[in-house]
Amino acid sequence: MFHSTLLYTLPVALLLARTVFSSPANEPSVIDEFITTQGNISIHGIIANMGPDGAKAPDAPAGIVVASPSRSDPDYYSTWTRDSALTYKALIERFIAGDTSLQTRINEYVSSQAYIQGLSNPSGDPDSGGLGDPRFNVDRTTFTGGWARPQRDGPALRTTALSIYANWLIDHDGQTQALDTIWPIIEKDLAYTVRYWNQTGFDLWEETYGSSFFTLSASHRALVEGTTLAKRLSQPCPGCESAAPQVLCFIQSFWTGSYIDTNINTNEANEAHTGKDASSILSSIHTFDPAAKCTDATFQPCSSRALANHKAVTDSFRSVYSINNGIDQGRAVAVGRYSEDLYYGGNPWYLTTLAAAEQLYDAIIQWSHQDSVIVTDLSLPFFRDLLPSIATGTYESGSSTYGSIISAVSTYADDFIAMVQKYTPPNGGLAEQYDRNTGSPLSAVDLTWSYASFLTTSHRRARKVGPTWGEPTSNTPPTTCLGALACSARITFNTHVTNSFHENVTIVGQLDQIGNWGPENGIRLDGSKYTSSDPLWYGDIDLPAGTPFEYKYIKWTSSGEIVWESGSNRKYTPPLECGSSGIVNDLWT
Ligand SMILES: *[C@@H]1O[C@H](CO)[C@@H](O)[C@H](O)[C@H]1NC(C)=O
Ligand SMILES: *[C@@H]1O[C@H](CO)[C@@H](O)[C@H](O)[C@H]1NC(C)=O
Ligand SMILES: *[C@@H]1O[C@H](CO)[C@@H](O)[C@H](O)[C@H]1NC(C)=O
């Protein structure tokens, strides 16, 4: 199996044919210069926001990275699991590529995350959902303010960052550190992901409650690489292997046929919200695998689906920002989160504009790797924006059309960087947003994630990639989606209920398998062993392994009336292992 954890540079097969259809806003050399200067500013920008010595994060202890030094309007002076994981993923890649000065900081990140995982917080205790809390105070204490919680992408993203590091350690005589220090963190994050992937939560923008494409894509990647890492370390990873294909199965439902609808299972009232959202581009770049082909099922950056989606999402911003006025189709535009966004008035973001470039650089790497570009009916409109006369077909490397495609896509990607350059202030500070009308920086200053995006985008432009996460052997969804029940545990419920002969007792609760709280959809228990001294009602029910839920018992009187148990809901979590069993003994209250 392909398992190099070394960062490598793919051969440059770039043909420098210039297309007549679009000329870059800046010459490549101007972009190169910007990348050198802004790259340096970005790495320093990240370090300034980090403990223990960050100039802009004076009270952050080692390993903690603040989202932004901004303490009001907006207050981002906290640490987010997501932003930290994506930032350290970029730093770990950079460390593996040779910047050994980063290893101390990476080890500090590892310790800080082990600590934070142990905090009880409004999302739960460490083993009952707390890992899904998105935001912590800079001093490593629980953030108790009201917030959009839980957010289930954090544990998965942290698994990815830490797995890349753990694999590198195993390859460099660091097996003990990988096993004793890093695996315990990953193990908890994976247990969280196995338990909760099939439940709703808030999306990465902390606005929409439902099932998020970004969260599930990150979960799929984490489960796949976690399974492999567990095997390398000879550790169990209960439920990981059976959950991964089910997550992939579910992810297929986000595809509308022409773009990715980024949030489903929502109770969103806003009909105007199309679901076109740059978080789908962030998903493609996060799950980019340099060893993958252009797989549609995993939405790889060069897949027809991801390219059609790139066009749908970027086009959705063409008419909404005045700074995009007059920009022709096929030329880069300023990209925000989603066109209906109202946060700070709804503006382009640096990290989403950079992501639009990064997906294209990733695609170029994948095309070079597979030595061809395939233009399908689905991706044709994307390619036609760049090369108006192109037709569907397979273009082998070495052909002139292949060369024109690579050149046009590189130019288009550079054009997104030029857009960022145009709206970056002279000191290189990257805020969260830039104004839709004037292009001036807006909202949080020095956003760590903006700087991290700059690093990853410029790495990909230079054809520097991280290790494979195993996409080539994990890209086929099963034909039937079973959800969390793909890994079930058989639970025996024994409850003692004194009632009259011929009355029934049912169990009903939070899961589909026990009726989703619909009294008439519960499961009837067996009263055949009932005696006056042992009034037993019992039943075996297959439930999703490791998934906590609430329930109650109901008595049905002979006249058909129902009587609910009094008191608060009962709670139970089946064991995590697929095919395991459990026994619950209850007494009617
Ligand atoms: C990189 O940035 C740091 C901090 O902003 C600065 O001191 C240094 O001179 C820069 N180095 C280069 C090569 O530009
Ligand atoms: C759980 O998975 C099933 C099967 O893929 C899917 O239909 C359902 O919408 C999922 N629900 C949530 C909340 O993830
Ligand atoms: C109770 O059980 C009997 C059979 O034992 C059944 O005929 C009846 O429909 C049940 N009533 C309810 C409310 O489930």
Side-chain angles (χ1 to χ4, degrees):
M1 192 182 146
F2 192 113
H3 206 107
S4 162
T5 58
L6 288 176
L7 209 74
Y8 59 95
T9 303
L10 290 157
V12 177
L14 200 84
L15 295 182
L16 290 169
R18 272 297 205 84
T19 71
V20 292
F21 308 109
S22 74
S23 62
N26 274 324
E27 294 301 320
S29 59
V30 174
I31 297 286
D32 287 339
E33 216 179 288
F34 174 61
I35 283 184
T36 307
T37 320
Q38 189 61 34
N40 181 47
I41 291 170
S42 297
I43 184 81
H44 285 92
I46 290 171
I47 287 172
N49 286 351
M50 231 176 222
D53 49 3
K56 296 186 174 174
D59 38 9
I64 294 295
V65 54
V66 302
S68 154
S70 175
R71 292 173 192 240
S72 61
D73 192 24
D75 176 8
Y76 284 6
Y77 199 67
S78 292
T79 186
W80 268 260
T81 308
R82 168 180 42 259
D83 298 40
S84 303
L86 290 170
T87 300
Y88 273 97
K89 180 189 176 206
L91 296 186
I92 290 165
E93 280 191 3
R94 219 178 148 85
F95 159 70
I96 292 175
D99 186 349
T100 53
S101 73
L102 292 169
Q103 192 164 15
T104 306
R105 293 184 184 279
I106 293 165
N107 288 334
E108 288 168 353
Y109 169 64
V110 172
S111 316
S112 73
Q113 298 308 296
Y115 183 87
I116 279 184
Q117 276 189 330
L119 297 176
S120 290
N121 56 55
S123 296
D125 290 328
D127 56 358
S128 64
L131 271 53
D133 221 53
R135 175 179 187 171
F136 296 86
N137 295 323
V138 167
D139 64 358
R140 311 199 308 182
T141 57
T142 298
F143 176 80
T144 51
W147 207 249
R149 48 169 72 94
Q151 294 175 24
R152 308 194 190 282
D153 57 339
L157 297 170
R158 183 163 53 201
T159 291
T160 289
L162 293 181
S163 295
I164 297 171
Y165 186 42
N167 278 312
W168 182 89
L169 286 169
I170 296 170
D171 293 339
H172 294 83
D173 298 324
Q175 171 100 10
T176 309
Q177 188 186 351
L179 181 61
D180 297 348
T181 311
I182 300 175
W183 175 253
I185 303 170
I186 296 178
E187 184 183 28
K188 295 186 188 81
D189 281 340
L190 288 171
Y192 179 91
T193 304
V194 167
R195 271 185 195 180
Y196 295 103
W197 73 265
N198 203 205
Q199 298 189 31
T200 46
F202 277 95
D203 73 337
L204 78 169
W205 303 139
E206 317 193 295
E207 291 177 345
T208 305
Y209 190 85
S211 296
S212 147
F213 180 76
F214 178 83
T215 299
L216 287 153
S217 301
S219 300
H220 177 243
R221 174 179 176 159
L223 290 165
V224 170
E225 62 199 337
T227 302
T228 309
L229 178 63
K231 286 181 185 156
R232 285 193 91 190
L233 293 169
S234 306
Q235 294 301 302
C237 193
C240 298
E241 209 160 357
S242 57
Q246 290 304 326
V247 178
L248 184 62
C249 201
F250 182 30
I251 286 173
Q252 308 310 307
S253 5
F254 291 76
W255 177 246
T256 62
S258 52
Y259 67 91
I260 297 161
D261 181 0
T262 46
N263 293 292
I264 63 176
N265 288 337
T266 61
N267 35 21
E268 212 177 32
N270 187 355
E271 296 288 329
H273 204 154
T274 60
K276 287 177 196 163
D277 184 317
S279 67
S280 56
I281 296 180
L282 293 170
S283 304
S284 269
I285 65 178
H286 176 69
T287 58
F288 161 62
D289 188 324
K293 297 211 157 66
C294 302
T295 325
D296 272 332
T298 56
F299 300 86
Q300 286 301 301
C302 69
S303 66
S304 294
R305 281 180 174 181
L307 294 172
N309 184 68
H310 186 282
K311 174 172 164 56
V313 172
T314 53
D315 281 354
S316 73
F317 296 106
R318 288 185 185 274
S319 58
V320 304
Y321 300 146
S322 60
I323 56 170
N324 287 339
N325 284 348
I327 298 179
D328 292 339
Q329 207 65 36
R331 296 292 307 273
V333 283
V335 177
R337 302 193 299 178
Y338 50 93
S339 61
E340 309 89 348
D341 195 359
L342 297 173
Y343 185 52
Y344 278 81
N347 297 286
W349 286 37
Y350 293 102
L351 71 92
T352 47
T353 308
L354 288 164
E358 187 169 332
Q359 185 189 329
L360 303 178
Y361 296 129
D362 289 347
I364 291 170
I365 291 168
Q366 294 183 314
W367 289 321
S368 311
H369 180 66
Q370 68 176 27
D371 285 322
S372 65
V373 175
I374 301 171
V375 178
T376 64
D377 286 334
L378 186 56
S379 58
L380 186 65
F382 165 86
F383 287 105
R384 283 247 163 114
D385 277 349
L386 308 177
L387 301 163
S389 58
I390 199 160
T392 57
T394 299
Y395 302 100
E396 304 290 345
S397 75
S399 67
S400 67
T401 307
Y402 176 90
S404 304
I405 293 172
I406 301 292
S407 171
V409 175
S410 308
T411 300
Y412 188 38
D414 281 359
D415 211 16
F416 284 98
I417 304 237
M419 181 64 69
V420 166
Q421 179 175 16
K422 184 169 177 187
Y423 297 117
T424 296
N427 71 359
L430 293 182
E432 180 182 70
Q433 312 180 21
Y434 50 106
D435 191 283
R436 63 195 286 155
N437 300 312
T438 65
S440 317
L442 261 185
S443 181
V445 294
D446 293 311
L447 190 81
T448 309
W449 190 359
S450 297
Y451 291 126
S453 313
F454 195 88
L455 291 185
T456 54
T457 305
S458 49
H459 288 168
R460 299 300 180 256
R461 183 174 185 269
R463 303 198 171 206
K464 288 184 184 149
V465 299
T468 176
W469 53 266
E471 192 278 351
T473 51
S474 323
N475 61 16
T476 314
T479 44
T480 315
C481 296
L482 300 172
L485 201 62
C487 176
S488 63
R490 178 155 298 183
I491 309 303
T492 303
F493 290 88
N494 294 316
T495 186
H496 291 83
V497 186
T498 305
N499 55 352
S500 323
F501 192 55
H502 282 323
E503 287 186 348
N504 293 329
V505 175
T506 61
I507 177 172
V508 62
Q510 215 182 355
L511 299 171
D512 288 346
Q513 291 75 26
I514 47 173
N516 260 319
W517 289 120
E520 58 299 330
N521 299 326
I523 300 290
R524 180 140 54 87
L525 299 177
D526 188 336
S528 62
K529 293 184 187 161
Y530 185 101
T531 64
S532 52
S533 58
D534 186 21
L536 175 68
W537 292 87
Y538 68 96
D540 289 340
I541 308 177
D542 289 334
L543 296 173
T547 303
F549 65 94
E550 299 188 357
Y551 66 99
K552 270 193 169 180
Y553 297 102
I554 293 177
K555 269 190 212 178
W556 296 78
T557 66
S558 42
S559 58
E561 318 250 275
I562 63 169
V563 182
W564 286 88
E565 267 190 297
S566 58
S568 46
N569 295 338
R570 297 176 181 274
K571 293 180 183 176
Y572 182 69
T573 304
L576 202 50
E577 280 79 4
C578 304
S580 57
S581 55
I583 298 179
V584 178
N585 291 306
D586 289 327
L587 185 62
W588 173 273
T589 56

